[in-house]
Amino acid sequence: DAGVTQSPTHLIKTRGQQVTLRCSPKSGHDTVSWYQQALGQGPQFIFQYYEEEERQRGNFPDRFSGHQFPNYSSELNVNALLLGDSALYLCASRKGLAGITGELFFGEGSRLTVL
Amino acid sequence: DAKTTQPPSMDCAEGRAANLPCNHSTISGNEYVYWYRQIHSQGPQYIIHGLKNNETNEMASLIITEDRKSSTLILPHATLRDTAVYYCIVRVGNSGNTPLVFGKGTRLSVIA
């Protein structure tokens, strides 16, 4: 049973460029969340997708956008990259929105370096 | 902002119990305590969660004080593979779309 898979694992961009990161949720999961983790910090919530709609959003600018596809996979897009966008981007999945289910399954992340 | 306070780092001898404390003095009645850990270069991994009763699973035990203002995660026999950053998170339990709010966690080093 494949867990959460993310691609690419590493990438380097320059300031002003755009980047797209991809995530396939764990089998049976339909809700995808994205987190940004700067070096030495805990992950910070970006947004959550369910039924192809953004359901929750953290304190991130509009340069950060996303999409969820009918097969539940998801993309994170970041436009006009800044040096401060350098971070590990984590995708997490779960089944459904409601409930007390504890487990949120995380992928191993995509490490973005902006030069 | 994270609603929890954790020590930045702790050491534990291999084979001994690791006791990781967490303060959450402003916890509300409908908020659960969750623990995740993040091994270097990996995504966070769920460990355990609880509301007010002590909980145990194959990975760890969670002890929550009676007033629910603090809790302790116990790894009964720490191994080198338990070296990781451990995050204590409080979250409303009956709303699955409430995001997890991570602090900086506790960096646990298990020493041979």
Side-chain angles (χ1 to χ4, degrees):
Chain A
D1 177 22
V4 178
T5 58
Q6 294 187 241
S7 63
T9 54
H10 296 82
L11 71 166
I12 299 173
K13 294 286 187 178
T14 57
R15 281 178 295 176
Q17 286 189 312
Q18 178 264 344
V19 68
T20 297
L21 308 178
R22 296 176 177 82
C23 172
S24 292
K26 180 178 170 63
S27 178
H29 288 188
D30 54 10
T31 304
V32 173
S33 301
W34 287 91
Y35 286 78
Q36 179 196 65
Q37 186 173 24
L39 200 60
Q41 305 294 317
Q44 301 299 306
F45 175 73
I46 304 175
F47 42 53
Q48 179 191 68
Y49 277 83
Y50 174 70
E51 292 185 336
E52 302 180 49
E53 291 186 11
E54 183 182 294
R55 300 293 180 142
Q56 289 269 322
R57 188 179 183 93
N59 188 26
F60 279 80
D62 293 343
R63 299 186 297 109
F64 290 77
S65 63
H67 189 78
Q68 186 179 35
F69 300 93
N71 67 352
Y72 310 121
S73 67
S74 177
E75 288 182 350
L76 164 65
N77 300 291
V78 186
N79 294 323
L81 285 167
L82 304 174
L83 295 178
D85 295 331
S86 294
L88 180 67
Y89 288 85
L90 294 160
C91 174
S93 73
R94 58 170 290 156
K95 181 169 179 58
L97 273 183
I100 307 175
T101 305
E103 293 193 63
L104 193 63
F105 287 82
F106 284 83
E108 296 197 350
S110 295
R111 183 164 297 282
L112 170 67
T113 301
V114 182
L115 301 177
Chain B
D1 290 340
K3 300 180 181 180
T4 62
T5 303
Q6 299 177 252
S9 64
M10 294 182 62
D11 292 337
C12 178
E14 189 178 21
R16 304 297 294 269
N19 297 278
L20 292 94
C22 178
N23 287 318
H24 31 79
S25 58
T26 61
I27 193 169
S28 301
N30 63 347
E31 288 183 315
Y32 285 66
V33 179
Y34 289 81
W35 284 83
Y36 281 75
R37 73 179 183 183
Q38 187 171 23
I39 296 170
H40 184 61
S41 298
Q42 297 183 18
Q45 175 191 24
Y46 166 81
I47 301 173
I48 198 168
H49 75 284
L51 181 62
K52 55 183 178 180
N53 297 320
N54 298 337
E55 302 288 345
T56 296
N57 62 21
E58 65 278 5
M59 290 183 67
S61 295
L62 174 60
I63 308 299
I64 303 174
T65 58
E66 191 169 347
D67 64 7
R68 303 210 321 123
K69 293 185 177 182
S70 66
S71 60
T72 301
L73 178 75
I74 301 172
L75 308 178
H77 305 287
T79 71
L80 297 178
R81 289 178 295 179
D82 292 321
T83 293
V85 178
Y86 287 77
Y87 297 99
C88 171
I89 301 165
V90 296
R91 173 176 174 267
V92 174
N94 61 356
S95 177
N97 62 345
T98 303
L100 296 174
V101 179
F102 290 82
K104 291 189 176 182
T106 296
R107 182 172 298 278
L108 175 68
S109 298
V110 180
I111 303 167

